[in-house]
Amino acid sequence: MSRLRIVATVVALAVAGVLAVILPTSPASAAACATPWSSSQVYTGGMIASYNSHNWQAKWWTQNETPGNAAVWADQGTCTGGGNPTPTPSPTGPTDSCLFPNWVAGRSYVTGDIVRYTNGRNYRATHDNPGYDPTISTWYWAPYTCTGPTPTATPTPTPTGPAGAFVVTEAQFNQMFPSRNSFYTYNGLVAALRAYPAFANTGSDTVKKQEAAAFLANVNHETGGLVYIVEQNTANYPHYCDATQPYGCPAGQAAYYGRGPIQLSWNFNYKAAGDALGIDLLRNPNLVQTDASIAWQTGIWYWMTQNGPGTMTAHNAMVNGAGFGETIRSINGALECNGGNPAQVQSRINAYTRFAGILGVTPGNNLSC
């Protein structure tokens, strides 16, 4: 190679190096933000939502679990063009104003939100929740004290909703369960009805009372007359963890034993019930044995949404005329129906006919399974 070509090459390389220093490399553009995450939407594995200027991908089924605060979401990196803004934390100490918004039943709240309840007091959300009553669901709310001016308007009346028309009075409830455990409160039951307004509130007055009697009769059988809060056979406790589920058993191998009025058991049932109710029961199964409203809600959840070993939900069995026998099949038919354990079936029937009598209705047909 000639000396002239060598010099020319060296000069070209030098110029290229200078340009590389002068002209910065353009950064790669961030991905566009997906549809913003919504606490009320159900997401399944692989779905993507944006939150706090990041895209997040769901690893498995989820609802009301905030991206960045729950293991179900995988961070896909920053994004542009939308997404939820970073939330401004609510004040954690006294402020110069107590003009907080009124609490609204059924409205979603996140940790740190402060509301004014119908009793005129303020409450701060200690956990995300879909509008639970601050005076009942004390795991989700704590009293909040502040300084400054307070509203002078008359507080909004407490909404009664469908629970105010429950077909079983407190006196009738006490008559049905004279020896019940104090944990199973009538008020807890009434509060739980808000989660499923159609429960004992569908069809004629007779059908409503028959459904209430049927539910309470099965509850009576499962808990020994509302005496037992948890499953009595502790040897079974380690057997309710289905490790094949993608979410596993984060509360522990032996944490998913029977609890509550329908004796909710298995990690997948705690997961499903919690997802439906907006409560993290997979990680906090003990809530079913410490919060009366949540306990009742899990029982009503199963009654309203689960077929179990049957072909229909217990709710549909009663409102569509299939009869009390089909509610037994939906709850424990694999072990009791078709001659499996006639004594247990008869025990449920006896309670149902007694409770129907207390409510002043006939029990109807198809009592056995």
Side-chain angles (χ1 to χ4, degrees):
M1 179 181 294
S2 68
R3 183 177 179 182
L4 181 60
R5 290 181 62 189
I6 293 173
V7 171
T9 301
V10 170
V11 171
L13 290 174
V15 170
V18 170
L19 290 175
V21 173
I22 296 175
L23 301 176
T25 302
S26 298
S29 299
C33 286
T35 303
W37 171 78
S38 170
S39 61
S40 61
Q41 181 174 335
V42 171
Y43 297 90
T44 55
M47 294 179 68
I48 296 177
S50 61
Y51 187 78
N52 288 353
S53 299
H54 279 240
N55 281 329
W56 302 83
Q57 185 175 49
K59 300 177 184 177
W60 53 78
W61 193 104
T62 179
Q63 183 183 35
N64 198 31
E65 293 181 287
T66 307
N69 294 328
V72 65
W73 291 102
D75 190 351
Q76 303 298 297
T78 58
C79 62
T80 59
N84 303 64
T86 302
T88 302
S90 298
T92 56
T95 68
D96 59 0
S97 174
C98 290
L99 303 177
F100 298 114
N102 290 333
W103 169 80
V104 178
R107 176 180 295 174
S108 293
Y109 294 98
V110 299
T111 303
D113 282 347
I114 302 174
V115 297
R116 175 179 169 82
Y117 188 59
T118 55
N119 60 8
R121 298 177 181 176
N122 297 320
Y123 293 84
R124 182 176 183 272
T126 54
H127 297 84
D128 295 0
N129 70 86
Y132 292 132
D133 189 313
T135 63
I136 296 175
S137 298
T138 54
W139 190 73
Y140 294 94
W141 296 95
Y144 179 78
T145 303
C146 66
T147 60
T150 58
T152 57
T154 303
T156 304
T158 303
T160 56
F166 188 40
V167 294
V168 180
T169 67
E170 186 168 8
Q172 290 169 330
F173 178 77
N174 291 335
Q175 185 179 354
M176 293 173 179
F177 303 103
S179 302
R180 65 179 172 84
N181 191 305
S182 60
F183 171 77
Y184 291 112
T185 63
Y186 177 79
N187 288 338
L189 171 57
V190 170
L193 302 185
R194 297 170 185 159
Y196 291 98
F199 171 75
N201 200 30
T202 303
S204 67
D205 288 343
T206 295
V207 172
K208 293 175 185 177
K209 291 179 179 180
Q210 286 174 339
E211 182 180 8
F215 172 76
L216 293 172
N218 281 296
V219 162
N220 175 80
H221 182 83
E222 295 291 321
T223 61
L226 285 186
V227 171
Y228 301 120
I229 302 173
V230 301
E231 182 176 351
Q232 296 301 289
N233 186 357
T234 56
N236 282 340
Y237 285 15
H239 300 157
Y240 296 120
C241 173
D242 181 357
T244 66
Q245 299 297 330
Y247 40 78
C249 299
Q253 171 75 26
Y256 302 99
Y257 51 85
R259 294 178 176 88
I262 295 288
Q263 293 290 282
L264 186 72
S265 57
W266 289 97
N267 57 330
F268 49 81
N269 279 329
Y270 278 90
K271 168 68 172 170
D275 287 342
L277 298 169
I279 309 168
D280 189 359
L281 295 181
L282 183 67
R283 292 174 177 80
N284 301 283
N286 278 334
L287 289 174
V288 183
Q289 70 186 71
T290 58
D291 188 310
S293 178
I294 292 176
W296 282 115
Q297 286 180 60
T298 63
I300 298 173
W301 163 81
Y302 189 94
W303 182 268
M304 298 294 292
T305 69
Q306 303 300 299
N307 292 352
T311 60
M312 65 188 76
T313 67
H315 169 72
N316 286 337
M318 294 307 297
V319 301
N320 294 331
F324 178 73
E326 285 302 311
T327 72
I328 303 174
R329 193 181 302 278
S330 297
I331 293 173
N332 205 27
L335 297 178
E336 296 181 15
C337 294
N338 301 320
N341 196 328
Q344 297 294 308
V345 171
Q346 191 59 50
S347 171
R348 295 179 192 265
I349 294 172
N350 291 344
Y352 172 59
T353 54
R354 182 165 62 87
F355 291 174
I358 291 174
L359 296 181
V361 293
T362 61
N365 300 319
N366 304 322
L367 300 184
S368 185
C369 61

